[in-house]
Amino acid sequence: LYAQRQRRKARHEKEEKRRKEFTKAFESILYAPTEPTFNAAWEDLQRRYSDQRKLINYIANKLMPCKEEWAQYYIKWYPNYGIRTTSANESTNYNIKSYLISGRNNLFRLFTSIQELCIDRLAKYNETLAKELTSTLMIYLGQEYLGHLPTQISRKALDLIAREKRQAMKAVPTPNRRNVTMAVLGACEGICSIHRQYGLPCKHVIARRIMAGEALTLEDVDSYWLLTLRRDQVDPYSQIRNPLPAPRGKGRPREDGVDAAQQHYQAEPI
């Protein structure tokens, strides 16, 4: 019995190791940055796991025909702000169930549970936002190339801009590197996807701003990353205001009941 348990344990560990290796190989396909890298990773997976025909056939027949929806080298050109899956929405169903006492509930109880969930999530969001703002000011406040952005956009956006800035510094001349040019960054067209995917400035834009002594502004950042967002920034029609209501009542309007536009009106004597 002991020997059987050991063999079973060894077999399980071997299968688990192979499963993890397969997952890692598929992730190399999923997150491939370019199409040649994607094709090379797919060919390597088929070669290494040729004995797993069911898995290979499933990927080839079900996933590959719609690779434009999940392959990194495709979706990085979509304005998705880094959201690749629907896990956030799917988890909401589970969270709502946790607010229901039992499976026998009515529509009113479901409505109140959703309200409680929204209130709790808003409180958690405000708490996280306060912590994020404190840490953001400690790290990014005072960096000239960011201007006033540390107090206006989210921490994730600042982290992405900082990542591009590290690449941009390769093209900024220094006392030790006087002859560097923008050519070291490579081409921007067809390579830099951060502006399309995240709505943030790429390394080429940041390098030009740093060399010109200019700071980034809100015009360089998509409104998705703003910490406080007014409705008129999203919907320009919301700037339209309704006209003032006309005064009601019979007879001559009183001075305290008319608007400012009619206060200067003087009626002719009858």
Side-chain angles (χ1 to χ4, degrees), residues 104-193:
R104 302 180 63 182
N105 293 282
N106 51 33
L107 186 59
F108 176 75
R109 178 56 187 166
L110 175 62
F111 176 76
T112 55
S113 298
I114 295 176
Q115 282 187 321
E116 294 174 2
L117 174 65
C118 293
I119 293 173
D120 293 344
R121 285 200 168 183
L122 180 60
K124 185 177 180 181
Y125 168 79
N126 291 331
E127 180 182 355
T128 305
L129 187 63
K131 294 180 180 179
E132 183 179 276
L133 182 60
T134 302
S135 62
T136 298
L137 295 179
M138 295 176 61
I139 298 174
Y140 293 108
L141 192 63
Q143 298 194 23
E144 296 182 358
Y145 80 99
L146 290 175
H148 298 288
L149 292 183
T151 60
Q152 297 172 330
I153 62 177
S154 67
R155 171 66 182 275
K156 182 179 179 180
L158 292 170
D159 291 341
L160 292 171
I161 294 175
R163 186 187 67 183
E164 292 295 307
K165 188 251 185 180
R166 288 191 291 268
Q167 298 293 326
M169 291 304 296
K170 298 178 181 179
V172 178
T174 62
N176 297 329
R177 298 182 294 115
R178 299 179 183 273
N179 299 325
V180 295
T181 62
M182 292 291 293
V184 299
L185 299 180
C188 181
E189 185 67 25
I191 301 298
C192 293
S193 61

Side-chain angles (χ1 to χ4, degrees), residues 5-251:
R5 286 196 297 267
Q6 290 298 107
R7 286 194 297 269
R8 192 181 303 112
K9 181 180 178 181
R11 190 185 313 111
H12 175 74
E13 292 177 353
K14 183 178 180 180
E15 292 176 353
E16 186 65 23
K17 181 181 178 180
R18 187 170 173 80
R19 186 181 299 109
K20 291 181 179 179
E21 291 175 350
F22 181 86
T23 303
K24 187 176 180 179
F26 182 75
E27 287 179 352
S28 64
I29 300 174
L30 179 64
Y31 299 112
T34 61
E35 186 174 4
T37 309
F38 177 90
N39 294 332
W42 170 230
E43 293 175 0
D44 180 66
L45 185 138
Q46 294 181 84
R47 178 182 53 81
R48 291 172 55 187
Y49 299 96
S50 57
D51 56 324
Q52 302 291 332
R53 294 312 308 173
K54 290 185 178 180
L55 289 174
I56 298 299
N57 291 337
Y58 178 82
I59 297 174
N61 299 328
K62 299 294 184 180
L63 298 182
M64 285 301 173
C66 58
K67 60 184 178 182
E68 297 85 358
E69 300 178 4
W70 54 268
Q72 172 65 15
Y73 81 95
Y74 264 109
I75 65 175
K76 71 178 182 179
W77 298 105
Y78 303 154
N80 52 31
Y81 306 105
I83 302 174
R84 301 185 179 92
T85 66
T86 59
S87 301
N89 292 334
E90 297 296 336
S91 62
T92 303
N93 298 329
Y94 174 79
N95 293 330
I96 292 176
K97 292 179 181 178
S98 65
Y99 282 79
L100 298 174
I101 300 176
S102 65
R104 302 180 63 182
N105 293 282
N106 51 33
L107 186 59
F108 176 75
R109 178 56 187 166
L110 175 62
F111 176 76
T112 55
S113 298
I114 295 176
Q115 282 187 321
E116 294 174 2
L117 174 65
C118 293
I119 293 173
D120 293 344
R121 285 200 168 183
L122 180 60
K124 185 177 180 181
Y125 168 79
N126 291 331
E127 180 182 355
T128 305
L129 187 63
K131 294 180 180 179
E132 183 179 276
L133 182 60
T134 302
S135 62
T136 298
L137 295 179
M138 295 176 61
I139 298 174
Y140 293 108
L141 192 63
Q143 298 194 23
E144 296 182 358
Y145 80 99
L146 290 175
H148 298 288
L149 292 183
T151 60
Q152 297 172 330
I153 62 177
S154 67
R155 171 66 182 275
K156 182 179 179 180
L158 292 170
D159 291 341
L160 292 171
I161 294 175
R163 186 187 67 183
E164 292 295 307
K165 188 251 185 180
R166 288 191 291 268
Q167 298 293 326
M169 291 304 296
K170 298 178 181 179
V172 178
T174 62
N176 297 329
R177 298 182 294 115
R178 299 179 183 273
N179 299 325
V180 295
T181 62
M182 292 291 293
V184 299
L185 299 180
C188 181
E189 185 67 25
I191 301 298
C192 293
S193 61
I194 186 171
H195 181 69
R196 292 275 297 275
Q197 184 178 11
Y198 294 96
L200 297 173
C202 69
K203 55 188 177 183
H204 296 82
V205 175
I206 297 174
R208 295 189 187 97
R209 293 293 180 87
I210 293 176
M211 289 187 288
E214 300 176 355
L216 298 173
T217 63
L218 283 180
E219 296 180 355
D220 302 311
V221 180
D222 191 276
S223 59
Y224 174 84
W225 302 107
L226 300 185
L227 292 179
T228 55
L229 180 62
R230 298 194 308 269
R231 184 175 177 83
D232 56 1
Q233 292 176 319
V234 178
D235 183 11
Y237 292 103
S238 63
Q239 300 179 12
I240 300 175
R241 296 292 181 264
N242 293 327
L244 294 174
R248 298 181 180 180
K250 297 180 180 180

